[in-house]
Amino acid sequence: MFQDLRLFPELSAMDNIMLKNRLAGYATEDAVKEMLARVGLGNYLDTPCGRMSFGQQQRVAFVRALCQPFDFILLDEPVSHLDKDNAAVMSAILRERQLKDGAGVIVTSIGYRLPYEYDAVYSL
Amino acid sequence: MVMGLLFRLLRQNISLWQLFGFLVVNLLGGVIVLCGVQAMMDFSSFTTGEDQLLSKGSMVISKPVKTSNTIAGLFGLRPSFSSAEIKELEELASVSAVGEFVTLKFEVNAAFAIGDARIRTDIFLDAVPDEFVMKDYTPLGSGMSRWSAGLNSDTIPIIVPRNYINLYNYGFATSKGLPQLSDELISVFPIKLFFGSEYGNVVYNARICGFSNKLNTILVPWDFLNAMNARYAPNESSAPARLVLTTDASEFDRSIFDYLAEKEYLVEGDASHVRLQSFVYTMLWVVIGVGFLFSLLAFLLLVVSVLLLIEKNKEKIYNLFSIGYGVGVIAWTYQIMTLVADLTVWVLAAVMATIIYPMFSGFMANVSPGFVPVPLWNVWLFALLSALFFAALHSAVVYCQVRKVCKV
């Protein structure tokens, strides 16, 4: 997940995710909708990302990042513009996925950190 | 679906004015090129296709007949080419082959019937080496499979000047109320040739199997004529009065004509016709060149438009690449656009050429009887090939630019 998100502002939240998901062929459309609903964007499926707050866009980018198979996932400041509740939801979704795939998770942050069960924390 | 999303993303910032400019300029160039190419094919077919004897680049030359020749002729001396003159011609850089005309050295007359009219007349026969008759030449008429005959042949193929048929069709037949004859009909006309000399008489059947604009004589196969001379006029010999030349010079090389003019040799048929032909070819090449220049400008205009579009969408392209899209897939979006633009413009150009060109060819048919336009599907084929050629170039440019944006 990119720090600058790299979403396409003219495309809706759903289209942004499907653009990646169809390339990877990973999740079903319903599964994507469910994830969006869990991060609080159930009512924003057709809203162009350009009209969303940065926090909402972060959650779209987070869901998009999960729409592919991976052994490691690198999240660059995923919750810099999110409150604790939303960060907790994202943390739970990520944990489920990590346990399911047995994948490694690497998170960077400046200031507010994604709440997670880290094996190691490095301060640079 | 994915391609649909990509198109939605990457088509943004397309400049309709630039596309319109491309369309107009390319359409103009395309129509000019296509009409020029079609005119070139028509003209080429008109000037060379109908001559069934001599291949393109060959000509028949002779010496002019002067009053002194007439007087000399009374004593059996006729204008002819010496072996030194023939050798000099053979040594010219632009002449690849020289052949001698051999004349039948004893009497022959031909008999044939058209309607109720029975005609029997003295004629003359000549022959040239077979290699000067076009290799792909297929004799007209039934029973003729090739240009050859010997003393034992049942039927002798003959080639006559096109003028003879025109003289009959547009002069004799019209004034006498006789039917005009097509090439095919003439070729099945039975003709009898009566040969006679002090060594004997013989009769052969003959068929007209072709026409030529480049000579003023009646031609029979080389082997047949030489065998007849050997049998019925064994002691006669003479230097050739006419030569056939094959030149491998380009249509624009006038040196051979300059040489012939300097030597005062005559080119049978019409030499000015050959010069006019060369001029028309040059003009057509200029027209095609101008059309091609327009097409090239349009090509460059589309290249600039697409490069600008890619530049404007640089961030999107890089983001697509970042989330996993390959250079080829991203480039394909633009390649499809250029392919559609190129195909559209060339198909439109072909449609317009198909509409416009017949006006010109109709005029040509009116002023030149015998002008038969080459089918217009050649224009469509050329248009399709041009579209694919330019689309391939556009695709290559697009791919390189997208690759550059992605910094691969």
Side-chain angles (χ1 to χ4, degrees):
Chain A
M1 178 181 165
F2 302 102
Q3 184 186 23
D4 57 359
L5 308 183
R6 300 197 184 169
L7 294 171
F8 301 99
E10 58 275 71
L11 296 185
S12 68
M14 196 65 190
D15 282 344
N16 261 291
I17 294 165
M18 294 314 280
L19 196 63
K20 170 71 192 181
N21 187 50
R22 290 214 169 85
L23 190 67
Y26 186 77
T28 63
E29 201 169 319
D30 287 341
V32 172
K33 284 178 182 169
E34 188 193 326
M35 273 195 282
L36 280 172
R38 283 182 71 184
V39 296
L41 296 175
N43 295 326
Y44 293 89
L45 300 184
D46 299 322
T47 305
C49 284
R51 286 196 214 151
M52 291 179 167
S53 69
F54 196 81
Q56 287 171 321
Q57 289 185 34
Q58 270 188 324
R59 281 175 275 167
V60 173
F62 172 75
V63 173
R64 184 179 72 178
L66 295 182
C67 285
Q68 59 188 322
F70 54 80
D71 293 325
F72 282 91
I73 186 166
L74 173 60
L75 306 165
D76 193 358
E77 296 190 42
V79 291
S80 60
H81 288 67
L82 293 180
D83 57 29
K84 285 182 182 174
D85 291 343
N86 277 313
V89 171
M90 279 172 59
S91 177
I93 293 172
L94 183 62
R95 185 70 180 165
E96 285 168 26
R97 180 67 187 276
Q98 182 200 2
L99 294 174
K100 184 184 163 205
D101 290 359
V105 174
I106 302 168
V107 181
T108 68
S109 60
I110 300 174
Y112 181 52
R113 182 193 301 168
L114 178 74
Y116 210 70
E117 294 176 34
Y118 295 103
D119 292 331
V121 176
Y122 298 96
S123 297
L124 304 174
Chain B
M1 177 68 183
V2 172
M3 288 311 282
L5 285 175
L6 282 182
F7 272 113
R8 266 176 59 196
L9 269 179
L10 299 179
R11 78 181 174 196
Q12 286 173 356
N13 298 319
I14 284 180
S15 164
L16 291 178
W17 279 110
Q18 284 169 3
L19 263 186
F20 181 72
F22 162 77
L23 187 82
V24 170
V25 177
N26 208 357
L27 203 55
L28 188 65
V31 170
I32 293 173
V33 166
L34 293 179
C35 286
V37 167
Q38 182 67 21
M40 182 74 88
M41 284 189 289
D42 276 351
F43 189 68
S44 177
S45 146
F46 179 53
T47 52
T48 62
E50 67 176 323
D51 198 299
Q52 292 156 328
L53 167 64
L54 299 172
S55 53
K56 189 179 176 185
S58 62
M59 61 183 88
V60 177
I61 61 167
S62 58
K63 288 188 171 181
V65 177
K66 298 172 181 169
T67 310
S68 57
N69 299 131
T70 309
I71 296 165
L74 296 172
F75 302 98
L77 299 170
R78 299 176 199 290
S80 59
F81 290 93
S82 67
S83 52
E85 287 170 327
I86 295 171
K87 193 162 183 290
E88 195 176 321
L89 277 165
E90 283 171 339
E91 284 168 357
L92 289 177
S94 54
V95 171
S96 55
V98 179
E100 298 176 12
F101 272 70
V102 172
T103 304
L104 190 78
K105 299 188 175 74
F106 56 97
E107 279 190 15
V108 56
N109 50 64
F112 53 94
I114 302 174
D116 295 333
R118 294 186 182 280
I119 299 167
R120 180 162 173 154
T121 177
D122 283 349
I123 61 166
F124 42 89
L125 297 177
D126 283 301
V128 292
D130 290 342
E131 61 263 29
F132 290 95
V133 177
M134 279 174 71
K135 288 188 176 60
D136 57 352
Y137 167 62
T138 308
L140 284 167
S142 56
M144 296 290 177
S145 59
R146 60 202 180 96
W147 175 246
S148 83
L151 292 180
N152 298 324
S153 300
D154 296 330
T155 305
I156 310 301
I158 59 178
I159 292 175
V160 298
R162 167 75 55 190
N163 287 344
Y164 285 20
I165 304 308
N166 290 343
L167 194 64
Y168 170 79
N169 275 337
Y170 302 113
F172 192 69
T174 311
S175 64
K176 299 284 182 187
L178 292 169
Q180 291 186 321
L181 301 175
S182 68
D183 290 0
E184 287 73 22
L185 204 56
I186 286 170
S187 70
V188 295
F189 247 62
I191 298 172
K192 283 202 180 298
L193 295 177
F194 297 87
F195 295 88
S197 79
E198 57 184 295
Y199 294 93
N201 298 306
V202 64
V203 180
Y204 282 97
N205 292 317
R207 292 275 193 284
I208 294 174
C209 70
F211 306 93
S212 176
N213 291 319
K214 292 184 180 173
L215 80 169
N216 296 322
T217 188
I218 300 168
L219 218 63
V220 292
W222 177 259
D223 290 342
F224 173 75
L225 192 128
N226 282 308
M228 290 295 281
N229 275 340
R231 175 172 291 190
Y232 296 101
N235 302 319
E236 298 281 335
S237 66
S238 61
R242 276 187 279 202
L243 299 176
V244 55
L245 306 181
T246 304
T247 168
D248 47 14
S250 79
E251 286 149 3
F252 307 102
D253 183 359
R254 313 312 307 160
S255 64
I256 181 69
F257 290 103
D258 295 339
Y259 175 84
L260 296 176
E262 182 196 325
K263 291 283 181 181
E264 294 187 343
Y265 295 156
L266 299 176
V267 178
E268 288 195 8
D270 188 356
S272 65
H273 173 72
V274 178
R275 286 171 192 273
L276 179 67
Q277 193 175 318
S278 172
F279 173 74
V280 173
Y281 272 122
T282 309
M283 291 307 293
L284 285 175
W285 276 119
V286 169
V287 169
I288 291 173
V290 168
F292 183 74
L293 196 64
F294 275 100
S295 299
L296 193 67
L297 285 175
F299 163 77
L300 292 175
L301 185 63
L302 191 63
V303 165
V304 171
S305 301
V306 172
L307 291 185
L308 278 173
L309 189 60
I310 290 174
E311 187 62 28
K312 284 178 188 166
N313 290 331
K314 194 163 73 174
E315 196 180 327
K316 287 188 190 118
I317 290 169
Y318 188 67
N319 286 348
L320 281 168
F321 181 69
S322 300
I323 66 168
Y325 280 87
V327 171
V329 177
I330 301 169
W332 178 238
T333 316
Y334 292 108
Q335 285 166 338
I336 286 276
M337 290 180 198
T338 55
L339 179 68
V340 169
D342 283 320
L343 273 177
T344 304
V345 83
W346 280 98
V347 166
L348 277 176
V351 169
M352 288 180 71
T354 309
I355 294 168
I356 293 168
Y357 186 75
M359 298 176 193
F360 166 75
S361 60
F363 168 76
M364 281 293 287
N366 283 337
V367 296
S368 308
F371 174 82
V372 181
V374 171
L376 274 167
W377 62 261
N378 289 297
V379 159
W380 284 86
L381 183 67
F382 191 85
L384 186 66
L385 291 175
S386 300
L388 293 178
F389 171 71
F390 284 116
L393 289 180
H394 281 136
S395 291
V397 171
V398 163
Y399 185 85
C400 291
Q401 189 63 16
V402 170
R403 208 175 121 150
K404 197 171 151 191
V405 168
C406 297
K407 298 186 178 75
V408 180

